Amino acid sequence: MKKIGLIPCRLKSTRLPNKPLKIIEGLPMFAHVFFRSKLSNLDAVYICTDSTEIESIANSLGIDCIMTSITHNNGTERCAEAAQKLGLSRNDLVIDIQGDEPM
């Protein structure tokens, strides 16, 4: 059984547009969430996004990223697509990590 953390990130938030890219102590918010998540007991952690801008920044920081559809209604749907792309089994554990909670 694998333990996989998936962090859904999108730029089109209505309350705070481009929220995942907001800089905190020199890094975008999504990077803080990713690096904190890597400190856990998970086997792997991925950013899940429909944004090529997030993907590009993630790649430059050595962050694993999975591109997902722009049609998702919520982070759970984005995580489900990412889990499918990873080919996870029914026995694997997927943790949906909120991309806007960097601390």
Side-chain angles (χ1 to χ4, degrees), residues 7 9-10 47-51 54-55 65-68 78:
I7 305 167
C9 293
R10 66 186 181 103
I47 296 293
C48 311
T49 188
D50 60 357
S51 165
I54 289 175
E55 178 189 39
C65 188
I66 300 170
M67 289 301 291
T68 56
R78 193 169 306 286

Side-chain angles (χ1 to χ4, degrees), residues 34-101:
F34 176 85
F35 291 125
R36 293 244 182 196
S37 298
K38 292 289 286 183
L39 297 173
S40 70
N41 194 27
L42 296 170
D43 296 314
V45 178
Y46 299 88
I47 296 293
C48 311
T49 188
D50 60 357
S51 165
T52 56
E53 186 175 3
I54 289 175
E55 178 189 39
S56 176
I57 295 168
N59 289 338
S60 74
L61 294 171
I63 293 173
D64 296 318
C65 188
I66 300 170
M67 289 301 291
T68 56
S69 171
I70 63 170
T71 62
H72 296 304
N73 293 312
N74 54 50
T76 302
E77 289 179 6
R78 193 169 306 286
C79 287
E81 180 187 351
Q84 183 178 6
K85 285 185 171 189
L86 288 170
L88 300 177
S89 80
R90 294 183 65 100
N91 294 326
D92 293 331
L93 181 62
V94 175
I95 307 298
D96 179 348
I97 301 167
Q98 298 304 302
D100 61 355
E101 295 186 9

